[in-house]
Amino acid sequence: MTTLDCVDVRALFADLGVSLPAGGPNVSVSCFAPGDVHRNGDRSPSASVNVETGAWLCHGCGAKGGAYDAALAQGRAPGDAMELLKRHGLVGGDDTPRRGAASRSGGDRPPAALPDEATLVQWQQDLQGHAKLLKRLEDRNGWTARALAAAGAGWGQADGWREKRLVFPINDTGGELINVVGYLPGGEPKSLALRGRPRDIFPPVETIEGHEVTIVEGEGDAVSMNVFELPAVAIPGTGAATGFSKYAARFALVDRVNVSMDCDPQGRGAREAIAAALHAVGVDVRVLDIDPGRDDGYDVGDMLREASEFGADGVASAKKALMALAREAVSWSPPGDVVSEPAHEATSGVADEIAVPATSETPVGETDRYAGRIIDLDALLAKPPEPIPWRVQGVVADGTLTIVSGESGGGKSWLAQALCTGVARGQAMAGILCVKGIALYIDAEMGPRMFVDQRLRPTGATTAEFQYIDAMGLDISMPDDLVWVRRQVEKLGANLVVIDSLRRLTPSKSENDSDDMAPAVSALAKLARDTKAAVVLIHHKGDSEKFFRGSSAIKDQADALFALLRDPNDEDAPRTLSCGGGRGKMRYAPEPADVFLGISPECGGVESSSPPENPGPQVPAREAVAAAIKAALPAATKTEVARKVGRAINDRTFRDAWRDLEEAGEIAENSRIWEGSSHRQPLDNMTTTTPLHTEGRRREAIYGDERAAA
């Protein structure tokens, strides 16, 4: 037998990310058993390693093994672990592990037998039928029967176990069972896997629905997140963080990953290692420290236990706190890199990713919600004024919120649909200029089948020209629903967003309560500002002379307010789209002239109509067309402008307005391009830079145009 002179146990463990203390022959280390075996993550090392052989023993839980076991526990594959032993002299020339190097927990025994599917189902039924145990788990851990069922948990005794345990099935990416983990409340060890079987992420990240997931430590914490109804996956313990790079690519299809480990040195170190591995493959990752002031292994499971003492309200409050922590977290960057500015309000969801230097005042991973709020007004005054970025001329501009109200059946939805079609086509609808872009209709009124049958088919449409979301049942006054809506706007790169309607999408709030309406409507105004989308919110008018129904806060928080009015005595009379007379609102532009519309499905929803008798003072048609011409520039030809304005090239009013502008020097041809006199960003170009948000640019950089657009 060969000697041990060439063995370097310290170097082997250093390669595993474990620094062995000086001294010997036995030195103290944290246990290599899964992290949830020890209640506090074994923050006070309870195991010892023999620096001559690599054998280790935990004096707390009784686990033991050789260097090979330690390598597996640190995330190395069996083949890699054997190569590591060879490189450091713990495997002889005949490939025989030297003394202390081989597994002491399993030796040459075969892997424990996996339960079959029928057994797993029986265990799940046994758990759900065990009322006393379920009560104990809820009292002790806060785990509900529903959360346990969602995790596939059962109650049974697997091969090699001395007693029955709470069983969590571990599946691979293909859904095949590869292991089961047994949890025993108050037991030693608390957590136990099958001998000789691999561990994996629980549950597989591929099974998670939604765009955001949180990584936690231990299967039990994944169940706790189920109680909070927040998508989560668990790693077996902090040891798995060292080799997390082998899992990282599986998270590439998730928009955002949060990492929340135990509040102790091992947990925080594992959190950074996982974040680095995910960042390396381009994943947007945020690190969450649920209590920076603690160092005792506190985790989401402890948080749930404390919250459960206060019943459903306590759990709801804890969930809200977790969601707020996730929303305010910044994208993780390696130390020394720039960090992202977080969202300024809790309702805004994912932060706009504005790079600011990492300084001592804004450490990496912390939130500075005041960044960018001190503005140099002199610098802004020194620049020329910017034109209003109209998306729908005179109605709504990019980055603003317009409310369109009207009586039930008054044609609000027909108008909104027509505006979506006009933006999608980049042409005027009913004489209202629409700038080309991506339009999104968020519908909580009709539902997809009724919308298709009662709205799209009557227009003669055979294909949809704009995007559609069925929002029935959502509540945009709730942060999680608002964040989801924002993500869809960002993903699509939507330039025009119609939200139909305020009443249906704030079911938990009272329209007459300013404390309810002010935050709900202001959140939509901020959604418009943050995403640079033009947002049109459909609302009901009511029976009074007021342009809208409900609290004055609804009008106060909007940038513009229009009413679609109709003659109550004449159903066929033209509708009047108005924001005048002091009853409407236009914050950022002169009050526009009233627009007269007829309901016409054949024309896409609405058509231009003659004003009724005695309509009051009106802006002359030539002036209105002139304003539309200037808004349509730059353009290559006069014909292109006429098409955008919705006029024929030989239309007398169009010709006269064009001549007036040209003679006044307000428009001119420059290098074969017709431009206005002011230096403006081309409106058409504005619509080609989709998506406008940083998240879209990041995904485009990773996946390319086609996948980013998806």
Side-chain angles (χ1 to χ4, degrees):
M1 185 169 178
T2 54
T3 65
L4 298 177
D5 294 341
C6 60
V7 171
D8 193 343
V9 172
R10 291 184 182 277
L12 182 148
F13 278 85
D15 282 352
L16 295 176
V18 179
S19 178
L20 298 182
N26 296 313
V27 296
S28 296
V29 295
S30 294
C31 181
F32 292 103
D36 51 359
V37 169
H38 295 268
R39 290 187 176 85
N40 296 318
D42 199 29
R43 66 182 187 276
S44 298
S46 57
S48 60
V49 172
N50 187 296
V51 297
E52 296 177 354
T53 67
W56 59 273
L57 171 67
C58 179
H59 305 282
C61 70
K64 60 183 179 179
Y68 179 77
D69 296 295
L72 294 180
Q74 295 298 97
R76 298 299 181 95
D80 293 340
M82 189 59 69
E83 288 299 320
L84 189 66
L85 264 63
K86 289 181 181 179
R87 187 162 67 249
H88 293 288
L90 274 79
V91 173
D94 56 356
D95 284 348
T96 301
R98 299 182 190 276
R99 176 171 53 90
S103 170
R104 297 177 61 191
S105 56
D108 296 327
R109 296 167 63 192
L114 288 169
D116 58 27
E117 184 175 354
T119 301
L120 282 178
V121 170
Q122 184 61 55
W123 288 349
Q124 292 164 359
Q125 294 174 349
D126 290 347
L127 174 61
Q128 292 299 315
H130 200 322
K132 184 176 180 180
L133 176 60
L134 290 173
K135 180 67 166 59
R136 181 185 178 194
L137 290 171
E138 185 164 8
D139 291 344
R140 181 188 179 95
N141 300 81
W143 295 346
T144 63
R146 180 178 178 180
L148 290 165
W155 179 250
Q157 182 174 349
D159 184 23
W161 298 354
R162 293 191 299 269
E163 65 281 294
K164 284 188 174 183
R165 289 174 171 263
L166 191 64
V167 181
F168 299 117
I170 310 298
N171 298 319
D172 63 13
T173 56
E176 294 294 325
L177 185 71
I178 59 173
N179 207 334
V180 293
V181 172
Y183 173 83
L184 189 63
E188 283 294 342
K190 185 174 69 173
S191 180
L192 184 64
L194 292 182
R195 179 188 70 251
R197 296 285 180 181
R199 299 281 289 273
D200 206 326
I201 295 171
F202 171 83
V205 67
E206 293 82 3
T207 65
I208 297 295
E209 297 181 358
H211 307 288
E212 183 172 346
V213 67
T214 299
I215 299 174
V216 294
E217 184 180 337
E219 291 81 6
D221 281 357
V223 177
S224 297
M225 294 294 281
N226 277 349
V227 177
F228 289 128
E229 297 180 338
L230 299 174
V233 298
I235 61 171
T238 55
T242 305
F244 194 81
S245 56
K246 68 180 181 181
Y247 301 119
R250 292 167 57 183
F251 289 81
L253 294 180
V254 181
D255 289 344
R256 171 169 162 169
V257 178
N258 306 312
V259 185
S260 177
M261 298 285 108
D262 293 358
C263 294
D264 56 26
Q266 291 84 3
R268 293 186 174 106
R271 183 187 67 192
E272 294 299 305
I274 292 171
L278 291 169
H279 180 78
V281 296
V283 174
D284 182 13
V285 58
R286 319 291 173 102
V287 295
L288 311 182
D289 196 332
I290 59 175
D291 195 337
R294 300 184 69 155
D295 197 25
D296 58 355
Y298 185 77
D299 58 20
V300 294
D302 298 313
M303 188 176 188
L304 175 61
R305 276 189 288 273
E306 294 175 352
S308 298
E309 296 177 5
F310 300 93
D313 289 342
V315 173
S317 296
K319 175 183 177 179
K320 184 177 180 180
L322 278 173
M323 292 174 62
L325 182 64
R327 283 195 306 273
E328 294 169 4
V330 298
S331 293
W332 184 92
S333 297
D337 281 11
V338 296
V339 298
S340 303
E341 184 184 46
H344 297 307
E345 294 183 10
T347 56
S348 64
V350 182
D352 289 333
E353 294 181 271
I354 304 173
V356 296
T359 67
S360 58
E361 295 181 356
T362 308
V364 173
E366 293 190 7
T367 296
D368 181 5
R369 66 191 302 267
Y370 306 107
R373 292 185 177 270
I374 300 175
I375 307 300
D376 186 348
L377 293 180
D378 290 337
L380 292 179
L381 285 170
K383 298 179 180 179
E386 296 182 358
I388 297 172
W390 291 112
R391 185 61 52 184
V392 177
Q393 179 69 30
V395 177
V396 64
D398 288 346
T400 68
L401 170 67
T402 288
I403 294 176
V404 174
S405 67
E407 297 174 0
S408 179
K412 303 182 299 297
S413 297
W414 281 119
L415 172 61
Q417 178 181 336
L419 298 182
C420 285
T421 302
V423 167
R425 295 176 181 175
Q427 68 181 45
M429 296 294 287
I432 305 173
L433 178 65
C434 299
V435 178
K436 186 174 178 59
I438 297 173
L440 169 63
Y441 200 112
I442 300 176
D443 172 32
E445 289 283 339
M446 303 185 74
R449 176 52 60 189
M450 190 184 301
F451 189 87
V452 168
D453 291 342
Q454 303 298 323
R455 287 291 181 263
L456 290 185
R457 295 193 197 278
T459 68
T462 56
T463 59
E465 298 181 79
F466 49 85
Q467 304 295 321
Y468 175 89
I469 287 177
D470 178 11
M472 187 75 73
L474 295 183
D475 187 343
I476 55 177
S477 69
M478 306 300 290
D480 48 353
D481 285 359
L482 183 65
V483 168
W484 185 86
V485 168
R486 173 177 172 145
R487 282 199 170 278
Q488 310 320 305
V489 173
E490 291 178 329
K491 279 189 163 187
L492 293 169
N495 305 109
L496 174 68
V497 179
V498 169
I499 299 176
D500 190 4
S501 62
L502 175 62
R503 174 67 273 173
R504 278 294 183 93
L505 281 164
T506 55
S508 64
K509 304 301 180 183
S510 168
E511 287 182 348
N512 296 314
D513 190 333
S514 62
D515 289 340
D516 280 352
M517 287 295 102
V521 179
S522 67
L524 293 178
K526 190 172 191 304
L527 169 72
R529 177 181 171 183
D530 291 348
T531 63
K532 307 299 190 296
V535 178
V536 174
L537 175 63
I538 304 300
H539 185 40
H540 295 282
K541 178 182 176 297
D543 297 326
S544 70
E545 291 299 312
K546 193 169 64 170
F547 266 17
F548 63 96
R549 189 176 69 190
S551 167
S552 60
I554 295 173
K555 177 180 177 180
D556 294 342
Q557 299 302 320
D559 298 304
L561 171 67
F562 289 77
L564 189 62
L565 307 172
R566 65 175 177 177
D567 185 342
N569 300 315
D570 186 357
E571 177 64 27
D572 297 325
R575 271 59 164 174
T576 304
L577 182 64
S578 175
C579 78
R583 294 185 293 169
K585 179 179 182 180
M586 176 52 75
R587 173 179 286 168
Y588 52 90
E591 184 179 293
D594 290 351
V595 177
F596 302 99
L597 306 168
I599 304 302
S600 176
E602 297 81 5
C603 294
V606 294
E607 64 178 348
S608 181
S609 179
S610 299
E613 295 183 5
N614 302 319
Q618 299 296 313
V619 176
R622 188 187 298 185
E623 293 182 20
V625 173
I629 288 173
K630 290 192 291 183
L633 297 178
T637 65
K638 188 185 296 187
T639 302
E640 180 184 347
V641 177
R643 178 184 61 79
K644 290 182 177 180
V645 173
R647 296 269 177 167
I649 187 66
N650 59 353
D651 178 84
R652 180 174 179 178
T653 305
F654 177 82
R655 292 201 319 266
D656 291 346
W658 187 280
R659 185 184 65 249
D660 292 345
L661 292 172
E662 196 169 3
E663 291 176 354
E666 294 189 51
I667 63 173
E669 189 176 21
N670 181 22
S671 299
R672 297 186 178 182
I673 298 293
W674 285 97
E675 296 178 332
S677 57
S678 62
H679 297 288
R680 65 174 66 215
Q681 179 185 0
L683 285 174
D684 280 349
N685 287 349
M686 289 177 62
T687 66
T688 60
T689 57
T690 55
L692 296 172
H693 50 283
T694 305
E695 175 71 6
R697 291 196 295 267
R698 181 189 74 81
R699 292 179 66 80
E700 182 175 345
I702 298 170
Y703 301 122
D705 294 342
E706 181 178 349
R707 189 164 175 183

